[in-house]
């Protein structure tokens, strides 16, 4: 199979390239990234032939779509992973990559007559479901209005609905929980913690962990998620799939990893106000909408992925979190930052 991966140098893309490097079914991989490597990169990035393309570029849609269609020509599947979280204060720029960029990928795939498109959606696309009742893929995907990330994920779900209605493209949507791996430590810290949080303090040395009351999370290990992407591609499945590691991550689980089990329950309103002030002061890299989304995200029912993809995650959500925390403390990072535009 020939597979094109858009956004192949990020957190999930790195894990997927590792998976494809071990897979005789996938015989050709093209990696699309905003910054292409100037020279042959190290493993796992060397499994791909690289093409530079900024899907959110300030350029005519036709120009970007035509470029993507040229890259996609002859592919058996396109996997779309590209997504922008920063700069969080530039709403127009985020939307240009996340929503307009996805529209360009879809139209490029249609124009190139690619038979199968696999798109990275998210638990963040779902409408609020604050309790612990697991929700399957039929739960509404109207998002959380105060979260720009969630609004964009919901918009992508809607544009995929419209593409499916045209009937020319088989589309799979993978909706994972938080995605973690050791090698994404620098990326996760940059996106969510910012420069004011010393990375090594997360190595079990936080004096006390403030935890918003009632917050619970799910997470999935990036390599486990890559297995699901591989199965979605090879099986050419259609529709949505929830993906999360076993278990629910709660305050005591996190405190056991970062603060010697020292935990302080904090009212949600107080936590939200603190995040809002920090974000407006540009001391915190993400805004309060992320907390709103986390507080209201549904617990994912992953039965469909287990049944139709034969997906069996090897790490629990707590184990995935531990992996990324050790990566943050160690300053671990993927090769993504050195991928510079050619000639620079």
């Amino acid at each position: 199979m020939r597979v094109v991966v858009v956004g192949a140098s990020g957190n999930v893309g790195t894990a997927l390239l590792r998976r494809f490097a071990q897979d005789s079914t996938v015989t050709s991989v093209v990696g699309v990234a905003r910054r292409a490597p100037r020279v042959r990169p190290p493993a796992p990035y060397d499994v791909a032939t690289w093409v530079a393309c900024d899907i959110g570029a300030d350029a005519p849609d036709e120009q970007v779509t035509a470029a993507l269609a040229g890259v996609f020509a002859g592919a058996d599947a396109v996997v779309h992973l590209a997504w922008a979280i920063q700069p969080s204060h530039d709403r127009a720029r985020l939307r240009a990559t996340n929503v307009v960029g996805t529209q360009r990928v879809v139209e490029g795939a249609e124009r190139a007559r690619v038979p199968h498109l696999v798109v990275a959606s998210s638990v963040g696309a779902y409408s609020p479901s604050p309790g612990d009742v697991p929700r399957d893929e039929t739960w509404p995907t109207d998002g959380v209005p105060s979260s720009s990330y969630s609004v964009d994920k919901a918009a992508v779900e809607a544009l995929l609905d419209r593409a499916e209605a045209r009937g020319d493209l088989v589309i799979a949507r993978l909706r994972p929980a938080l995605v973690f791996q050791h090698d994404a430590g620098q990326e996760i810290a940059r996106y969510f913690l910012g420069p004011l949080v010393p990375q090594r303090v997360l190595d079990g040395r936080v004096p006390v962990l403030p935890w918003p009351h009632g917050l619970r999370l799910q997470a999935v290990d990036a390599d486990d998620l890559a297995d699901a992407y591989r199965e979605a591609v090879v099986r050419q499945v259609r529709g949505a799939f929830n993906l999360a590691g076993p278990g629910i991550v709660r305050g005591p689980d996190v405190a056991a990893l970062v603060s010697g089990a020292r935990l302080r329950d904090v009212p949600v309103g107080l936590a939200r106000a603190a995040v809002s002030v920090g974000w407006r002061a540009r001391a915190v890299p993400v805004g309060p909408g992320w907390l709103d989304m986390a507080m209201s995200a549904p617990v994912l029912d992953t039965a469909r992925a287990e049944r139709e993809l034969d997906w069996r995650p090897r790490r629990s959500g707590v184990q995935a979190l531990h992996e990324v925390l050790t990566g943050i403390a160690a300053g671990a990072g993927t090769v993504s930052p050195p991928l510079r535009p050619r000639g620079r």
Side-chain angles (χ1 to χ4, degrees), residues 26 46 56 70 115 122 154 179 213 215 229 231 241 244 263 274 279 322 333-334 340:
V26 178
D46 60 346
S122 167
V179 184
H213 180 75
L215 177 62
Y229 271 100
E231 295 304 318
F241 295 85
L263 180 72
W279 181 68
H322 182 248
T334 66
R340 306 294 185 197

Side-chain angles (χ1 to χ4, degrees), residues 27-270:
T27 55
S28 173
V29 180
V30 177
V32 179
R34 185 167 56 89
R35 297 170 297 181
R38 292 174 295 181
V39 296
R40 183 177 175 85
Y45 307 94
D46 60 346
V47 75
T49 300
W50 288 88
V51 177
C53 182
D54 182 358
I55 65 169
D58 184 13
D61 287 341
E62 169 61 27
Q63 177 181 326
V64 180
T65 299
L68 289 169
V71 177
F72 297 164
D76 296 293
V78 170
V79 179
H80 177 42
L81 304 175
W83 194 266
I85 292 174
Q86 298 293 346
S88 63
H89 289 270
D90 192 340
R91 187 70 186 90
R93 186 169 169 187
L94 293 182
R95 189 179 186 280
T97 295
N98 299 339
V99 181
V100 176
T102 299
Q103 181 68 50
R104 290 166 168 174
V105 169
V106 171
E107 292 179 357
E110 290 174 330
R111 187 176 301 186
R113 299 187 181 277
V114 175
H116 191 213
L117 175 65
V118 181
V119 178
S121 186
S122 167
V123 64
Y126 282 119
S127 300
S129 177
D132 285 354
V133 176
R135 305 296 184 183
D136 67 14
E137 292 83 359
T138 63
W139 193 251
T141 54
D142 296 322
V144 177
S146 60
S147 165
S148 62
Y149 175 93
S150 182
V151 167
D152 284 353
K153 285 294 186 184
V156 164
E157 290 277 351
L159 74 84
L160 294 178
D161 288 342
R162 294 191 293 271
E164 282 188 325
R166 293 192 290 270
D168 297 329
L169 190 60
V170 174
I171 300 175
R173 317 166 191 210
L174 273 57
R175 297 174 182 160
L178 296 169
V179 184
F180 295 141
Q181 62 175 313
H182 180 274
D183 288 348
Q186 286 187 7
E187 179 181 347
I188 298 296
R190 184 171 68 249
Y191 284 162
F192 295 104
L193 300 179
L196 299 183
V197 178
Q199 293 183 8
R200 291 204 60 81
V201 80
L202 295 181
D203 191 16
R205 286 177 278 177
V206 174
V208 62
L209 176 69
W211 190 260
H213 180 75
L215 177 62
R216 81 285 185 275
L217 306 168
Q218 286 176 289
V220 61
D221 177 78
D223 286 325
D224 285 336
L225 181 58
D227 287 342
Y229 271 100
R230 186 269 178 192
E231 295 304 318
V233 167
V234 172
R235 297 172 188 239
Q236 296 186 308
V237 295
R238 180 193 299 269
F241 295 85
N242 290 341
L243 298 155
I248 297 176
V249 182
R250 303 185 191 273
D253 300 311
V254 183
L257 297 175
V258 303
S259 64
R262 295 178 295 275
L263 180 72
R264 177 171 297 167
D265 196 63
V266 176
V268 175
L270 180 60

Side-chain angles (χ1 to χ4, degrees), residues 261-340:
R262 295 178 295 275
L263 180 72
R264 177 171 297 167
D265 196 63
V266 176
V268 175
L270 180 60
R272 190 184 195 282
V275 173
S276 182
V277 168
W279 181 68
R280 292 180 185 280
R282 299 181 183 267
V284 176
V286 292
W290 280 88
L291 179 58
D292 297 341
M293 181 175 63
M295 294 299 304
S296 62
V299 172
L300 297 177
D301 178 344
T302 62
R304 186 185 185 201
E306 294 163 11
R307 183 177 63 251
E308 298 186 23
L309 301 180
D310 195 24
W311 186 65
R312 301 291 185 271
R314 294 177 293 273
R315 290 188 174 92
S316 69
V318 172
Q319 289 172 320
L321 175 63
H322 182 248
E323 282 291 310
V324 78
L325 288 174
T326 59
I328 291 172
T334 66
V335 79
S336 183
L339 297 183
R340 306 294 185 197

